[in-house]
Structures are given as structure tokens and as C-alpha cells.
Amino acid sequence: MNEHRLIANWQQVNEQVTQAYVQANDLITDQKRVTRSASDVILLAVSKTKPADMIAILARQGQRDFGENYLQEAIEKIKTLQGQPEAASIVWHYIGHVQRNKTRDIAENFDWVQTLERDIIAKRLNDQRPTDMPPLNVLIQLNIDDEESKSGCRPEDLPDLIATIKDYERLQLRGLMIIPAKSNTDAFKRTKMLFEKTKQEHPDLEAWDTLSMGMSNDMAAAIANGSTMVRVGTAIFGARD
Ligand SMILES: *Cc1c(COP(=O)(O)O)cnc(C)c1O
């Protein structure tokens, strides 16, 4: 994909996010008044399997948050981009499954982990987060549809996991993440309810502000139901091999 096309895709997705937000919140729809800053929804550009130079191109346009699933590949890209000024403000999100023996690499290289699902992993990330870095931002991945095949914390186990993670000083608990069964509006609604319930029950969770739900094809429904972060790969970078 050439640079022009990549930027055009990214701009289009940005506009879709803004429009969905505007509609969901009944904001003024006068095009001229709706700028990107009108939206409180963060666009996470999912760059897995895509080269570092595509990330650099979007970073130059102002894209800040990037999501990666494959650790080795991600670390290579992070290192490649580290020296480049336009990449200095990139915020890296780990969105792949966290294996127990990979926690150190994650703790040392990422700003966020969106796929936390059990205490043993949280404890390791907390212990291994370098002291010269800010606390690692974490989202609990919720298995909202209680699917056998899916990772994620079961809704009934959520209160215990939150209570545990809250005490880890090197982790900053930010909210919830889901990958629903299909385009499932009900899953969005139930997750939003759990999100709000947790906020009420834990007023001391000061940074509890992120609900990561919605991807390329269910972005608008997720935003209408309170998503604060959508994760989009294909619609920006094109199909993956
Ligand atoms: C790959 C991935 C995405 C992006 O999916 P697309 O269909 O390419 O938009 C979003 N979230 C997670 C957790 C992913 O692994």
C-alpha cells in the first residue's frame, strides 16, 4: 500500500469514529464544527504484521496509539522506531495473549497491556515493570460472552481480580477490554454496565477511564454503547497475509 492510500484510509477511519461519536452523543452535526478533538474516543491503530515504516507514516500524521499482538515482531518495530523523532510520542499497546514467560518483555517495552486476565500475569507484570518507567497501564480483558474458546476474565471473577490488581503499584488499572462473540450490541451494553458499576464501587480507582471495544465492522455500535477506544487494523493498513 502506498503512503497516500494509507493516510487516506486513516483519515477516513478517523472521520467514521468522529461521526459515530457525534451521533451517539447528539452533538452538532455541522461538518465544519466537528473536528477530531470533538471525539473522546481514542483510535488504536492495530499494526500487527505491518512494517515499521507504515507506523512512522501515521505517527507523522498525528496517530499516537498503536496496538501489537506478536511480541517479537512488536519489539523489533519499537526498537526500530525508537530513534526517530516522529515516533517519540507513540503509545504502544500490547493486545495479544500474554504468555507467562513473556511478561518481562511486555513490561519493559509497552505502555499498555489490554489483555490482562488473571492475577499471576498481573503480579509478574507488576514485579517486572522497570522502576524508571511510569506504571504500566492495564485493561482487564473480559470474556463477556463466556465462550469456552476465548481468553479473558469471566464476569463473575472480575471483582476479585480488580481487588487484587488495585494493590499493585507498578500497574495502573484503566478499564476493560472485550472481543465480543459477533457484532453483539448486548455484549457492549453489559460491558458498559460492569464498567460503570466498578467505577461506583471503587471511587479510589482514579484512572478507571477506558472501555476498549469495537473493531472495523462494529465500531459505530461500540461507540454508541460507550466505547472510549476502538481497535482498527484492516480498515487502516489493509488486509493481513
Ligand atoms: C487484530 C486485532 C484487532 C484489529 O482487527 P481488524 O479486523 O484488522 O480491524 C483488534 N483487536 C484485537 C485484539 C486484535 O487482535
Side-chain angles (χ1 to χ4, degrees):
M1 185 186 297
N2 67 31
E3 176 162 351
H4 178 76
R5 181 66 195 280
L6 175 63
I7 293 171
N9 284 351
W10 174 75
Q11 283 168 339
Q12 190 180 20
V13 171
N14 258 318
E15 261 160 48
Q16 288 167 351
V17 170
T18 303
Q19 283 309 323
Y21 184 80
V22 163
Q23 273 173 17
N25 293 280
D26 268 336
L27 301 179
I28 323 134
T29 45
D30 176 355
Q31 279 291 349
K32 290 193 202 79
R33 304 186 58 179
V34 177
T35 61
R36 199 147 30 95
S37 60
S39 171
D40 283 341
V41 179
I42 290 171
L43 172 60
L44 178 72
V46 178
S47 46
K48 62 185 174 210
T49 79
K50 301 297 178 181
D53 52 357
M54 288 178 102
I55 296 173
I57 287 167
L58 293 186
R60 237 174 272 139
Q61 299 294 313
Q63 174 63 33
R64 200 183 61 130
D65 295 270
F66 290 88
E68 292 281 342
N69 295 55
Y70 310 114
L71 195 54
Q72 220 38 57
E73 178 207 326
I75 290 172
E76 277 170 34
K77 286 189 264 184
I78 292 170
K79 300 261 190 265
T80 301
L81 290 165
Q82 236 156 26
Q84 303 185 19
E86 72 261 37
S89 55
I90 290 182
V91 176
W92 294 102
H93 297 244
Y94 187 73
I95 60 172
H97 182 67
V98 184
Q99 286 172 282
R100 189 201 283 240
N101 63 346
K102 299 288 167 57
T103 49
R104 184 176 298 280
D105 278 339
I106 295 173
E108 290 177 352
N109 287 283
F110 283 83
D111 303 294
W112 288 66
V113 175
Q114 299 207 0
T115 43
L116 198 56
E117 55 176 318
R118 49 202 176 116
D119 178 31
I120 177 70
I121 299 290
K123 183 175 188 322
R124 290 175 66 93
L125 289 170
N126 181 65
D127 291 346
Q128 293 166 344
R129 180 65 166 177
T131 49
D132 61 345
M133 293 175 86
L136 182 63
N137 295 289
V138 296
L139 299 180
I140 294 174
Q141 182 179 352
L142 201 57
N143 187 353
I144 189 67
D145 296 311
D146 219 342
E147 293 172 282
E148 281 295 336
S149 59
K150 279 252 176 74
S151 6
C153 168
R154 299 168 63 176
E156 61 266 38
D157 298 332
L158 183 64
D160 281 352
L161 186 57
I162 288 172
T164 308
I165 294 178
K166 243 169 69 162
D167 290 335
Y168 291 147
E169 295 200 338
R170 305 297 300 139
L171 302 183
Q172 172 98 283
L173 185 54
R174 301 293 297 265
L176 302 173
M177 179 274 216
I178 59 161
I179 308 173
K182 13 182 160 32
S183 202
N184 183 350
T185 305
D186 187 57
F188 296 147
K189 289 190 201 305
R190 280 182 284 125
T191 309
K192 169 73 170 169
M193 277 176 52
L194 283 171
F195 179 77
E196 293 300 336
K197 185 165 176 272
T198 302
K199 194 191 293 198
Q200 277 181 359
E201 287 173 357
H202 300 272
D204 53 330
L205 274 180
E206 282 159 16
W208 184 262
D209 62 359
T210 303
L211 196 46
S212 173
M213 54 186 198
M215 323 210 307
S216 303
N217 33 21
D218 54 9
M219 224 166 59
I223 292 170
N225 286 286
S227 169
T228 71
M229 189 184 288
V230 290
R231 310 180 305 267
V232 181
T234 311
I236 298 174
F237 295 99
R240 292 178 291 272
D241 294 335

